[in-house]
Amino acid sequence: MSSATAPRDATADAAAPGPARVPVLVGLLFGLAGLGSSSAAIALPTVAADLDVSTGVSAWAISLYALMLAVATAVYGRVSDLVGLRLPLLVGVTLMTAGALAGALSPDFGVLLAARVLQGAGAAAVPTLGVALVSARFSGSARGFALGRVAGIAAAVSCLGPLAGGVVEGLLGWRAVIALPMLGALLLPLLWRSVPTDGSGARLDLVGAVLVAATAAGVVLLVQSPSTGPVVAAVGAALAVLGAPAVAMWVRRRPHGFLPVSVIRNATVVRSALAAGAVPAAWFALLIAVPAVLVAAGWEPWQVGVALLPSALTGLAAPRLAGPILARIGAGPALALAAGVTAVALLVASLGARQTSAPLLVTAVVVVTFAFGLGQPALMEAVGDAVADDVRGVALGIATLFFLVGGGIGSAVVGGLGDVLGVDGALLLLTVLPVLGLLLLVPRLLAARRRA
């Protein structure tokens, strides 16, 4: 595998890990960030019982984590454009570790939620900065293969979360499960010399960041409000309804701010990000749905984890498939393929939840794991190639924001609407997202065909 490395200090280069190791280390760190959801999801029934909340309310521990992953990603992307990747990555991993520790020591559910917000805010550094790091060290087809390896390893580690969560919960309790992402602190020193430190030195648009975060939070709160009542619904609706026009007004006032006009008016970036968001929506939804259905049917958490091992193997195999697919058909068709596969997976999962069929549910998770392993690097490649170098970090951050907001919406739909529609109904409703994603990609696919 060939690579193109950005200019850096010669001493740093000498001490940096070889190019082949960088995607592996980034993938492991990315996977541990995902483990913060996949392992915790298995422990939700125990958390609910121990902290005296309902199962629907306990799902907020996943939704808020996913929400913070989403809304903080673009912040890290913009900060990395300003000061380089190293400092924000250090801050992010530190916050992720501190949040995991605080969550493990939480005396009540309110403190646990606050810790999960902190943990998610830190973990958000990993997707954007990790991808930016790999993008800086690789070019051409090698970048697609490297990004595919990152996504595959991340998916495999995340998919091992249910097994790790079930085993650790059985041996040490749910608090040890919440603490698992602290292992990410061990990987940072191994990556340290490979992380670029150069930035533009421009100012960060904090107002724009807050407006975007509040609007995204409103959407997730509104979707999950059926599990918590009208107050949360009112707050979510207010944030979403007032936030959207506020963001639009601020972008007109600050065209080079947190949401640069050159990025959000780029049709490739917006359409690709919205279409790709269906993949994490399905992934996070299944994280909650599959354990909930099977544990209610009498399964032990560790048994659910064992049943999901095929998805971890799929995550490991995904890079071998995603790289060649990206190189052969391109990022746009690859995104369409991921969206179509996700729609099929959700239909299978809905049927599996209705029939309490473990084979169908496990098959759905396996299929979504493949879609994640293909969709995430396809999104990053599409966005990275569509924008100028000076805004690549923020463009990747915005794309990842849309990508992971999908995750927050997916978990919120199952956690908030599962009691109303049933888990099968909530999963069926989510199929709307990948179908809409396919429709958004149609103009690009037709244009590519005409050029061919």
Side-chain angles (χ1 to χ4, degrees):
M1 179 182 292
S2 63
S3 66
T5 306
R8 296 189 310 280
D9 181 85
T11 304
D13 257 341
R21 287 179 56 196
V22 171
V24 174
L25 292 171
V26 171
L28 289 172
L29 192 57
F30 201 155
L32 286 171
L35 197 75
S37 289
S38 60
S39 61
I42 284 289
L44 285 185
T46 308
V47 171
D50 192 36
L51 299 182
D52 194 26
V53 296
S54 68
T55 302
V57 171
S58 71
W60 281 100
I62 304 298
S63 296
L64 287 181
Y65 181 84
L67 175 62
M68 290 310 300
L69 272 177
V71 299
T73 49
V75 175
Y76 284 109
R78 186 55 172 163
V79 170
S80 72
D81 285 335
L82 311 184
V83 302
L85 299 177
R86 185 176 290 180
L87 178 60
L89 185 61
L90 172 63
V91 171
V93 174
T94 300
L95 290 177
M96 182 175 75
T97 302
L101 178 60
L105 301 176
S106 297
D108 56 51
F109 191 67
V111 175
L112 175 62
L113 288 184
R116 293 287 289 174
V117 168
L118 179 65
Q119 184 181 346
V126 178
T128 300
L129 303 185
V131 167
L133 169 58
V134 172
S135 296
R137 293 187 64 90
F138 295 87
S139 63
S141 61
R143 180 185 296 166
F145 281 100
L147 290 172
R149 176 172 292 183
V150 169
I153 293 174
V157 174
S158 297
C159 288
L160 285 172
L163 178 60
V167 171
V168 171
E169 191 276 332
L171 294 175
L172 302 173
W174 66 265
R175 296 180 183 277
V177 177
I178 299 297
L180 284 175
M182 292 176 65
L183 295 172
L186 302 177
L187 296 173
L188 187 59
L190 302 177
L191 274 170
W192 189 249
R193 293 291 187 178
S194 297
V195 184
T197 58
D198 296 332
S200 66
R203 296 179 61 186
L204 175 64
D205 177 15
L206 289 176
V207 174
V210 170
L211 290 175
V212 171
T215 305
V219 173
V220 173
L221 290 175
L222 185 59
V223 172
Q224 193 159 347
S225 62
S227 68
T228 49
V231 174
V232 173
V235 172
L239 288 174
V241 171
L242 297 176
V247 169
M249 291 176 60
W250 189 255
V251 168
R252 287 195 295 270
R253 181 177 178 181
R254 294 285 299 274
H256 304 292
F258 181 73
L259 294 179
V261 171
S262 62
V263 173
I264 63 174
R265 288 185 179 175
N266 187 308
T268 297
V269 173
V270 175
R271 290 177 181 271
S272 298
L274 290 174
V279 179
W283 168 250
F284 276 88
L286 292 178
L287 279 182
I288 296 175
V290 173
V293 171
L294 295 182
V295 169
W299 288 50
E300 294 292 332
W302 68 267
Q303 292 175 317
V304 178
V306 170
L308 293 177
L309 273 178
S311 64
L313 298 177
T314 303
L316 284 172
R320 298 181 181 274
L321 300 174
I325 290 173
L326 273 172
R328 182 171 182 176
I329 68 176
L335 281 171
L337 177 59
V341 167
T342 298
V344 172
L346 286 170
L347 290 173
V348 172
S350 178
L351 181 61
R354 178 180 291 273
Q355 298 181 354
T356 316
S357 169
L360 288 178
L361 290 170
V362 171
T363 298
V365 178
V366 168
V367 173
V368 167
T369 301
F370 167 75
F372 193 100
L374 177 62
Q376 195 270 345
L379 172 63
M380 296 300 104
E381 184 168 313
V383 172
D385 291 341
V387 298
D389 289 343
D390 61 336
V391 293
R392 177 177 291 160
V394 68
L396 291 172
I398 292 170
T400 307
L401 184 151
F402 282 110
F403 189 71
L404 292 178
V405 163
I409 291 174
S411 60
V413 166
V414 173
L417 299 178
D419 291 338
V420 179
L421 303 176
V423 173
D424 59 324
L427 293 173
L428 185 62
L429 179 63
L430 277 175
T431 60
V432 172
L433 294 183
V435 171
L436 288 176
L438 285 170
L439 293 176
L440 286 172
L441 291 172
V442 166
R444 180 181 177 184
L445 296 177
L446 292 177
R449 175 170 292 186
R450 285 194 295 268
R451 288 194 299 269

